[in-house]
Amino acid sequence: MANRREFIKKSSLAGLAGIGIPLAAFTAAPQAKQGTETKSEGSKWADGSRLVVSVSMQFEAGGQPDNAESPFPQNMQKGYTDLPAETWYQYGYKEGVPRMLDNWDRLGIKVTSHMVGTAVLKNPALAREIVDRGHEAAAHGMSWSSQYSMSYEEEKKFIKDGADAIREITGFTPVGYNANWLRRGENTLKILQELGFKYHIDDLSRDEPFITIVNSKDFVIVPYTIRCNDIVLIEGKNFSVDQFFSQAKAEFDQLYLESENRKRQMSISFHDRIGGTPQMVQTAHELIKYIQSHQGVSFKRKDEIAELALKDKTTIRE
């Protein structure tokens, strides 16, 4: 697929606006281009991969609260709107996600997009496009509210409303979850299991997926990252793109070395309004091309990683 404009033109024939698109069109992802997956003697992944890389694309812009955190000083007087900050968020759906989608196509990879429910409702065509281009839609709450302080029923409704918004707009049923700033509550995993989710990512404790028991059933943790994460390292005020590249490359090089003898997963996270800037997309392209040059590396959506973990008897259990 050459670019986003070509995609939109073609998809209009299928009714991108939501008219008569079969569910199968959204749930069956195209085969992603992978690194060489010849099973090596030291491979610990059941599909023959030596190292699995998981890319997140956070779709949040449009769902943020008034005067949300931004690179601008947090010095607005109460009762006034931070208008420049609003435009910073708007960049995420106007430029960021479309640019990243074209980049994933050029690289031949599929990613997981954690979608805030209100962002999806405000930008339905873009949410549908993400899924129709073969990427996973994972739930990210209905809004940016902190769910850890909610009652059981409040939190259950909050999670369900966000997932329902994704399903109604895109036709894709989310099976993965990410809480706002990873801060889930004591009831979150029980609720996710009740609602039919298979995994969550709000855990930084390992560099490989693992399984825990929730409500007497298996539930997968696909670890997230704050090390190779643009919102922590960039956000217009910390790392430069060359520092981001250097840190992520060092992370990959070490994990690739370890993957000769044990199961390893690398996570990289991009946010619509940050990772979708020209400089970050160019840097991401160079980084992923470098990673793809290594034998045995595969890029997988997080729902694919969760399925592998559930079927693999060697997956760590806690």
Side-chain angles (χ1 to χ4, degrees):
M1 189 171 298
N3 55 42
R4 183 168 184 257
R5 183 176 297 177
E6 178 184 344
F7 170 82
I8 294 175
K9 181 179 179 180
K10 290 182 178 179
S11 61
S12 64
L13 298 176
L16 183 59
I19 303 173
I21 304 179
L23 181 60
F26 295 103
T27 56
Q31 195 69 27
K33 177 183 176 182
Q34 309 290 2
T36 306
E37 292 189 20
T38 304
K39 187 172 180 65
S40 64
E41 187 176 342
S43 174
K44 300 299 180 182
W45 286 88
D47 73 334
S49 301
R50 171 169 170 168
L51 172 69
V52 168
V53 180
S54 173
V55 175
S56 294
M57 180 177 68
Q58 308 296 91
F59 183 24
E60 302 172 336
Q64 76 278 1
D66 292 337
N67 295 351
E69 59 184 287
S70 76
F72 295 96
Q74 302 301 296
N75 59 358
M76 289 293 296
Q77 297 180 30
K78 290 185 178 180
Y80 294 89
T81 301
D82 191 345
L83 297 176
E86 282 196 355
T87 66
W88 185 69
Y89 280 99
Q90 291 168 6
Y91 191 92
Y93 55 81
K94 290 180 178 180
E95 299 279 1
V97 170
R99 183 177 287 116
M100 282 192 284
L101 287 174
D102 282 348
N103 196 35
W104 310 143
D105 279 350
R106 287 194 299 271
L107 290 162
I109 68 171
K110 303 303 176 188
V111 307
T112 294
S113 184
H114 308 280
M115 300 182 174
V116 173
T118 49
V120 169
L121 294 177
K122 290 180 180 179
N123 296 282
L126 185 56
R128 283 191 289 267
E129 182 180 347
I130 292 171
V131 170
D132 203 32
R133 290 174 82 158
H135 306 291
E136 176 194 2
H140 198 16
M142 187 59 189
S143 67
W144 283 26
S145 300
S146 296
Q147 66 191 69
Y148 60 84
S149 59
M150 296 179 182
S151 69
Y152 192 96
E153 291 304 321
E154 287 173 337
E155 185 179 11
K156 188 170 185 177
K157 182 178 186 304
F158 175 81
I159 294 173
K160 184 177 184 301
D161 286 350
D164 285 348
I166 294 171
R167 181 169 49 252
E168 290 168 7
I169 294 297
T170 71
F172 192 103
T173 299
V175 296
Y177 193 76
N178 173 210
N180 182 36
W181 269 114
L182 283 73
R183 289 195 173 106
R184 58 187 173 89
E186 296 294 331
N187 297 318
T188 304
L189 298 191
K190 296 177 184 178
I191 292 171
L192 292 176
Q193 188 76 283
E194 290 175 5
L195 293 176
F197 286 83
K198 293 182 179 179
Y199 76 90
H200 81 105
I201 70 168
D202 302 322
D203 191 300
L204 309 173
S205 66
R206 291 188 182 276
D207 290 316
E208 63 181 278
F210 59 101
I211 292 174
T212 189
I213 300 298
V214 180
N215 297 344
S216 301
K217 295 192 294 184
D218 287 349
F219 196 77
V220 182
I221 295 87
V222 182
Y224 193 54
T225 177
I226 57 173
R227 298 185 304 273
C228 301
N229 188 321
D230 62 358
I231 200 167
V232 176
L233 302 182
I234 304 292
E235 202 187 2
K237 59 189 179 185
N238 293 322
F239 271 35
S240 62
V241 290
D242 57 336
Q243 289 173 304
F244 181 87
F245 180 91
S246 179
Q247 178 154 322
K249 177 182 178 296
E251 177 104 350
F252 169 78
D253 288 342
Q254 178 61 30
L255 289 174
Y256 191 74
L257 179 66
E258 294 176 9
S259 70
E260 185 175 356
N261 297 305
R262 59 187 299 195
K263 187 182 297 179
R264 300 282 77 181
Q265 173 198 316
M266 179 179 181
S267 296
I268 312 173
S269 181
F270 301 100
H271 290 69
D272 43 26
R273 62 228 179 252
I274 307 167
T277 60
Q279 57 186 318
M280 279 299 292
V281 167
Q282 178 64 34
T283 300
H285 190 90
E286 294 172 2
L287 173 66
I288 291 173
K289 291 295 288 185
Y290 171 77
I291 292 172
Q292 288 177 326
S293 71
H294 291 71
Q295 185 176 16
V297 176
S298 64
F299 285 78
K300 297 186 186 300
R301 304 182 339 179
K302 289 177 172 61
D303 55 349
E304 296 171 328
I305 294 173
E307 282 296 328
L308 279 175
L310 286 170
K311 294 176 182 177
D312 189 346
K313 294 181 180 180
T314 69
T315 301
I316 293 172
R317 291 177 172 271
E318 292 189 352

